[in-house]
Amino acid sequence: MSDDYDRREAICPDCQATEGDRDARIMTAGEDPATGRMFTSVTYHHDTCPAYTVDQILTEDSVRRSKERTAWMKEEFPLVRKRMEAAANGGPTDAAPFIAALLELVAAQGEDLGRFVAPERWAEILTKHFPPETGRAEEPTP
């Protein structure tokens, strides 16, 4: 095991499940802000545990929202790209939206240089600067 990683176990305050009498295990990962070390946290639960039920509901909701956002991006990104290209063909007087969009995209990437700007974020930023002309559906909430 690496020196930059550790495993932590937590007892669920609701069901008090242990590894030996558990029905489910939830693993999460994180970085300790004090040491900068990466860690995994393991919590065991019984099927009837309220904390486990809440976690399952939140996970399912997150998956649903992620699928909605991905579907929106797949529909919106090609359309906003066409709107951007059409505006680019308008001449140098229409350059302001391009500059603003580019600056915002660069700022979004600059927030975390260790990651990339996801396509959903691209579609969100470009739609803000190149809005649809007619009443298209708004983006789903993140």
Side-chain angles (χ1 to χ4, degrees), residues 3-4 12 14 16 27 29 36 48 60 68 75 78 80-82 103 108-109 111 113 120 123 126-127 129 141:
D3 288 338
D4 296 331
C12 173
D14 292 329
Q16 301 293 313
M27 295 184 74
T48 57
E60 289 171 10
E68 287 174 355
E75 180 182 336
V80 75
R81 184 174 175 193
K82 287 179 184 176
L103 290 173
Q109 181 64 66
E111 290 172 6
L113 295 176
E120 292 88 353
L126 292 175
T127 298
H129 293 282
T141 54

Side-chain angles (χ1 to χ4, degrees), residues 22 56 68:
R22 66 168 166 94
Q56 290 302 105
E68 287 174 355

Side-chain angles (χ1 to χ4, degrees), residues 78-104:
L79 298 173
V80 75
R81 184 174 175 193
K82 287 179 184 176
R83 293 193 301 269
M84 190 172 98
E85 288 171 357
N89 293 331
T93 59
D94 294 331
F98 294 101
I99 294 167
L102 180 60
L103 290 173
E104 191 167 346

Side-chain angles (χ1 to χ4, degrees), residues 11 17-18 22 24 37 41 45 48 58 60-62 72 76 79-80 92 95 99 105 107 109 122 131 136 140:
I11 302 288
T18 64
R22 66 168 166 94
R37 289 173 50 104
S41 179
H45 296 281
T48 57
L58 292 175
E60 289 171 10
D61 183 57
S62 179
W72 169 81
E76 183 66 19
L79 298 173
V80 75
I99 294 167
L105 287 166
Q109 181 64 66
W122 274 78
R136 288 186 32 84

